[in-house]
Each structure stands twice: as C-alpha cells, then as structure tokens.
Amino acid sequence: MLLVCGIISALSYRNDISNDLISALERLEYRGYDSAGIAYLDNGNELKRIRTVGKVQQLKEAVEKANVKSHIGIGHTRWATHGKVTEFNAHPHVTDGVAVVHNGIIENYQDLRKRLISEGYTFESETDTEVIAKLVASHIKTGKTFLDAFKCAIAEFTGTFAIVAIYEKEPSLLLGAKRGSPMAVGISPDKQSAYIASDAVALSTLVDELVYLEEGDIVVVKKDAQLSYEIFDASGSCTNRQVVQNKVSLNDVTKNGYETFMLKEIFEEAAVARRTYERFNYDTEVAKYDNISIIACGTSYYAGVLSKYWIEEIAKVHVDVEIASEFRYRKPVMRKNSLYIFISQSGETIDTLCAMRLVKEAGMKTLALVNVDTSSIAREADYIVKIEAGVEVGVASTKAFVAQTLSLLIMCAGKSAVHIDDIEHSINSILNGNYDFAGLANKLKDSRCLFYIGRGTSYPIALEGALKIKELSYISAEGYPSGEIKHGPIAIIDENVYTIALAPFDQYFEKTVSNTQEILARNGKVLLITTEDARASLHGLDENANVECVFLPKCETLYYPFALTTTIHLLAYHTAKAKGYDVDKPRNLAKSVTVE
Ligand code: F6R
C-alpha cells in the first residue's frame, strides 16, 4: 500500500522561489510527513538539493540556513513507500543535473533499475523515484532534449504517478506528468511565477486560477519573454484544459486560532452540516432503484454503513455496503437497476476509483459522493453529489463524515423531511456543551484496548469511533455491534479494558445497556454515552464505580448519529492529546491513499 505525498514546483522571474516552495510544503504536509526536500538551480544554474528527515519545519530551517536564491525549483513531502525514512530516500532524486519529485508508484522500476545499472548507473536510494531521474538523464545522454527525454521516460513507466522534473542545462523549463495521481498547474496573478503542484491546497495563496491535468497529460512550463505552459495529452497532441478558480482559501489552510486542524474541523461540523444541507440540490431518487451498492474505504465506508440503516428503513431499497479494496478484487455480481455509490472525501482513493471503473465497465450507473469535485472519482462518475465539508487538512477525517452521512440521509429521505435546524442544534449542543471530554480521555488513555459498541445506527458510529481512537491514539480499538460482544470479544474484557457504549434512548437502549452489564460483570470498565431522557431508565447503572456516563441532549432519534459523531470525534481528539500525540499527523498515515 502506498499513500500520496505532496509535490510543489515553481518557475519564476523572481529569485526567491524557495519561500513559495516551503510555504506550499507546509500546507502539503498533511499528505506525508516522514521527510521533505527541495532541489533548485542557484544563481549560476547549478543544481542544488536540500533534504531532511522529519517534518517540513526541519527543511525550512535548513533552507533558511543555506540562504537559497533561486528562480526554479521542486519540492516534496514524503510518506515512505519504497525504502525507509532516510535522507537518501527523501525526494528530490538527482542524476546528472536532472532532479525529480514523484507521487505514486513506478511498477516496473525493478526492471528499469537493472537496465540502468547495466548502463553503468549506481543507485544511492531504495526508491522507485531514482529510476525516473536516471532514465531521463540516460535519454539526455543519447542527445535528446530535456523535454524529449522526459517524454520517452514517461512512456516507459507503468503504474500511477505524478512527476515533476527540472534540468540544470535547461533552466527555464519545468516539466510535469500525470498518470493516476492528481496534478495542477497555474500562474500567479502578477504573472511572475508559474507552479505545478499535486493539489490546489499547495497552490492556495499562489494562484487564483488553475488547470487540473487529465490522465496521461504532460505539462511544459516555459519562461521566455513571458511565462506560459503547454499541455500535451496522452496521444502527444497539444491540448487545452479547462481553467478553474482555485477555491482553496487561506482560511481553509490555516488553523484559525485552533490548536490543531482536527479541532478546528470538528468545531466546523455544525456549519458543514448546514452548508451541505443548504447547497444540496441533487435529484438522486434512490427509491427508483431495486438495489443500492455503496463502495468506499475507511471513514467513508462507515458513512455508507450508517446510510444502509436509513435507506432500507426510509426508502425501502436494499443496500449493500462494501470495502473498495475487497470489491475490486473479487468477482462481484452486478445487479440490474442498481445504483452504485462511491463515497470518498478526497475523490482520489485508488481502491474506490478502481472499483468504480470496474462497475462502469459492467455498464452500471455510478454516483460519486465526494468533497473534491475536481477529483478523479468525481470526474469519472455518471453523477456527482458534492458534500460541502471544505478542505479537510487533519489526516483523520471528521467534518467530511458529517457531510457524507447528512447527504446520504437527504438522498433517501428527501430534503424537506430532514430538519437541519435540529441537526445543527444537536451538533452545537455537543460542541458548546459542558462536557469534560478531556477528563474522560484521561481515563481511556491507559486502557489496554478499547471496545466501541452500539446497535442500530449507533453501530456504524461505534466503528467510526474505534477507527478514530486507533489512528490517533495508537490504542487497539474495535467497533462492535453490542449484541455481538458475547460471541467472542468478551473474552478480552478485564479491569484494564474500557468499553464505550453508544446508547441513546432509542429502541435499542435497553439491549445495549444489558450488554454493558455483561461487560461490568467481567470487571470491564464502561463509558456509557446516552441521552438526558435515559436517566430514569438507568436503574443505578450510573452509580456503578466502573461506569462513567455522558448525557447528550435529547433529540429526534433519527438525528442521534450526528450528536454521537461529534462526541466520538472529540473523545478521539482528547485521548490522543492526553497521550501527547500529534493529532493532525498521526504516525504512519497520510491524507489520501492514491495507490493500493
Ligand atoms: C480515517 C480516514 C480514512 C479515510 C479513507 C478514505 O479518519 O480519514 O479512513 O476515510 O482513507 O478516504 P477517502 O474518503 O478520501 O476516499
């Protein structure tokens, strides 16, 4: 498996592009944060490189120390795939004056590496990226121009990737290629600088308008009398791609007074729900299908699991929910008159994208529920429903989950049947309520492992709660249907294990409470998250020394998942904080998974 890294590159009339590269890498850090680096041509057009292991801050300090003056450069923040986290493996990779950065994977790199070794090249890293620099350099050696050498090299690669390259003998040329991984190009409003980057977040504050490359495109950025770029499509023909506004604002990519992006994004959940509701104007008519299949990964998958309860109950349509990485590799039977819904915050998750391609090949209708409407999944689907979460920078998805689930509820119930005031109020009552989530997190943080349990629509929230705890606090946490605990997992329960039971006062309340009794009988500890109207029905449970209770405000049963979502997000946040971890950049993760 491989996660996307971040790319930025610049060609300018100015001599200070290192500032732009570093500020963009800071914004891109959520893409990968094992190591980072830049390569640039100095005033004498000599290729220089600075790489550091760790966060972008380390690179920033090294670049400041080196007093970089440059008009052209490329930068990268890495999430390790091929090769460990070392300076040698960090990008850019450099050979004979060619420097490259790369997202994605070169699948045939072993064969190319052998060939290049036989041509006399020696490799200093364990990465697939180094073959790119060497292959371009080897084509230049045969007399080709930088552009022709780049094109020849790209044609030899298999896999999915986004690549940017510079060459010290052609100091006014910046080249990029896109296959599978996203890439965008734009020129600054003052026409002084041009940039190629892996996403609009990198380009925010740098360009107002940008162009997203299409599959197989090569972009050539040139500096002559003026800055310009040309795009060549997969067949090599010069082409035009649509210019779009860069919708990412400074507010989207700054913490705005919050300590972390994750906290800022949790505190946006009520506003995101309101915005998603107000802008929702899709006629999706789920009830006209005989079957709905929902395919996604991670948190997006859990949004799908929640919607199954709603769609089957409200629209009375059968729903399957599948993990994309499994769906795409089995031989799924596609049913007639089915709608296939692909949920993805980023719109770039490769397993979800490939599952969608499989469904399209079978002639089925596909709907993308995405946050990024310029993403690959959005572009390839038959229908798009865009959620209005805004840019999500925290690696753990939070506000997007709220927008996804709300959109799915509107899709099956109809807009007029969904009371956004109640949902907004319900989320706000958690955000602004007098809850000691930090105190509760202190109790959870030393648990040997955690269970999150729930029934009905609380079960998918339990799954989401457990995922958030494990990815941020590194505590092994499992989401389970309450009724399933005694079919095995209860063996794990002892005095060192906390179970978080999601039990609003709905039709499942009594059952979940009796499951917590089974846990208490085995000396387990319980954090019961319920609602105010359940107090009288607890029968002393809240007085048990091994039980902590949180009472959420009562609301319509249909909307409990929203209050519970904000609650479990805050609990995950505070548990990670209590353990002293970086919530925005949890270890081993990055934001979007663009290669399987
Ligand atoms: C968890 C999380 C991931 C993503 C998953 C799918 O907090 O963020 O599990 O939900 O990688 O990503 P998208 O929705 O971009 O397809």
Side-chain angles (χ1 to χ4, degrees), residues 297-300 343-347 349 395-397 467-468 471 593:
C297 302
T299 285
S300 297
I343 310 177
S344 177
Q345 185 283 126
S346 61
T349 299
V395 164
S397 188
L467 177 62
K468 288 284 121 58
E471 71 180 316
V593 186

Side-chain angles (χ1 to χ4, degrees), residues 11 13 187 194 219-224 226-230:
L11 173 60
Y13 291 107
I187 293 183
V219 59
V220 180
V221 181
K222 279 190 208 145
K223 189 174 78 169
D224 297 316
Q226 56 183 29
L227 276 167
S228 64
Y229 59 83
E230 270 180 317

Side-chain angles (χ1 to χ4, degrees), residues 205-222:
T205 77
L206 299 176
V207 305
D208 295 340
E209 291 180 333
L210 52 88
V211 162
Y212 288 95
L213 299 198
E214 302 272 333
E215 279 310 288
D217 282 355
I218 286 184
V219 59
V220 180
V221 181
K222 279 190 208 145

Side-chain angles (χ1 to χ4, degrees), residues 26-27 29 249-265 267-268 393-394 573 577 582-585:
E26 284 175 327
R27 292 191 291 278
E29 202 170 11
S249 69
L250 191 59
N251 178 37
D252 289 327
V253 291
T254 49
K255 291 183 198 149
N256 244 350
Y258 285 93
E259 201 185 334
T260 61
F261 279 107
M262 183 182 175
L263 195 61
K264 174 190 168 208
E265 289 163 6
F267 271 83
E268 284 171 359
V393 176
Y573 173 81
K577 290 290 291 178
D582 182 342
V583 291
D584 283 339
K585 302 186 193 86

